[in-house]
Amino acid sequence: MDNRFSNEQLTALIEQGRLLFLADCEFMLSVADMSQLPDCKLPEFAFTGLSNVGKSSLINALVGRKDLARTSNTPGRTQLLNFFNLGNKLRLVDMPGYGFAKAPQEIVNEWQNLVFQYLKGRNNLKKVCLLVDARHGVKKKDHEVMTQLDKSAVVYYVVLTKCDKLKKNELEKVKKAVENEVLKHTACFPEVFATSSENKEGLDLLRAELCSNL
């Protein structure tokens, strides 16, 4: 994490994040329409990204569960806003992936409209985690979504996923390129988080960062 925190503060945040994400995490509901959204009593963190980028896997890894959020090798499987309650302290929101999906374009457009209505109109939404596959870096569709988030003034992080698939020097190059890219986006948090749901790399720092927003 950046120099906002001293070593002591960072250590404390990492421990707070660890304890927070040890709490029971339960699936709440799936939402297909804005009228179905739960109340705004708890802060929410939403996860978005290209289809098959690893949103569900990251949520599972953050809370230490293998099957909380449904994972699939089929891109576009998540078609609704899926809400998870973490210890009555916060909610995690697994959003439909953008990009490729095995569905008619009309249905895909409905998913995307739902996503952006939620992002622009949710008062208790703290931050968005925009996931980027470390093997590919920021792609054209990511650029488009980042620009839309900028225009909507929705603050977001870029979180690299599947970092275990790259060698250390390759990951450093990708991370540097993505860091240069995020500096071009007004609503994007300047630090890039490198994570792996497989070997748990970077999860402690991401938990700490989310915890710092509560």
Side-chain angles (χ1 to χ4, degrees), residues 28-29 36-44 83 91 122 124:
M28 290 181 61
L29 78 166
Q36 301 171 339
L37 288 173
D39 60 56
C40 294
K41 292 180 180 178
L42 294 178
E44 294 172 355
F83 287 76
R91 296 176 187 143
R122 194 65 168 165
N124 58 324

Side-chain angles (χ1 to χ4, degrees), residues 24-157:
D24 288 338
C25 191
E26 300 294 338
F27 171 74
M28 290 181 61
L29 78 166
S30 295
V31 169
D33 184 89
M34 291 289 285
S35 64
Q36 301 171 339
L37 288 173
D39 60 56
C40 294
K41 292 180 180 178
L42 294 178
E44 294 172 355
F45 296 93
F47 294 75
T48 190
L50 281 165
S51 297
N52 216 30
V53 75
K55 296 185 302 300
S56 298
S57 294
L58 181 61
I59 290 173
N60 286 336
L62 284 170
V63 300
R65 296 271 296 273
K66 292 184 177 180
D67 57 357
L68 177 68
R70 183 180 180 185
T71 61
S72 172
N73 290 325
T74 303
R77 179 60 61 86
T78 302
Q79 302 175 8
L80 306 168
L81 296 177
N82 294 314
F83 287 76
F84 303 89
N85 183 324
L86 180 62
N88 289 321
K89 299 292 185 182
L90 59 86
R91 296 176 187 143
L92 305 174
V93 186
D94 189 5
M95 299 199 294
Y98 49 81
F100 175 82
K102 288 187 176 181
Q105 188 59 47
E106 180 180 350
I107 300 299
V108 174
N109 290 340
E110 289 180 5
W111 301 345
Q112 299 310 312
N113 288 336
L114 173 63
V115 166
F116 282 110
Q117 286 181 56
Y118 167 77
L119 292 176
K120 290 192 297 182
R122 194 65 168 165
N123 293 332
N124 58 324
L125 177 62
K126 290 294 185 178
K127 295 287 191 305
V128 173
C129 291
L130 190 152
L131 277 54
V132 171
D133 191 322
R135 298 171 297 178
H136 309 305
V138 178
K139 304 187 79 171
K140 180 180 178 181
K141 191 64 179 179
D142 295 316
H143 282 286
E144 294 174 2
V145 173
M146 292 168 75
T147 299
Q148 183 64 47
L149 290 172
D150 292 338
K151 292 179 179 178
S152 302
V154 176
V155 180
Y156 59 101
Y157 303 112

Side-chain angles (χ1 to χ4, degrees), residues 1-18:
M1 296 168 71
D2 62 29
N3 57 9
R4 290 170 298 152
F5 308 109
S6 66
N7 290 337
E8 292 78 8
Q9 289 172 323
L10 179 55
T11 298
L13 276 174
I14 288 175
E15 179 61 11
Q16 290 172 26
R18 184 186 72 83

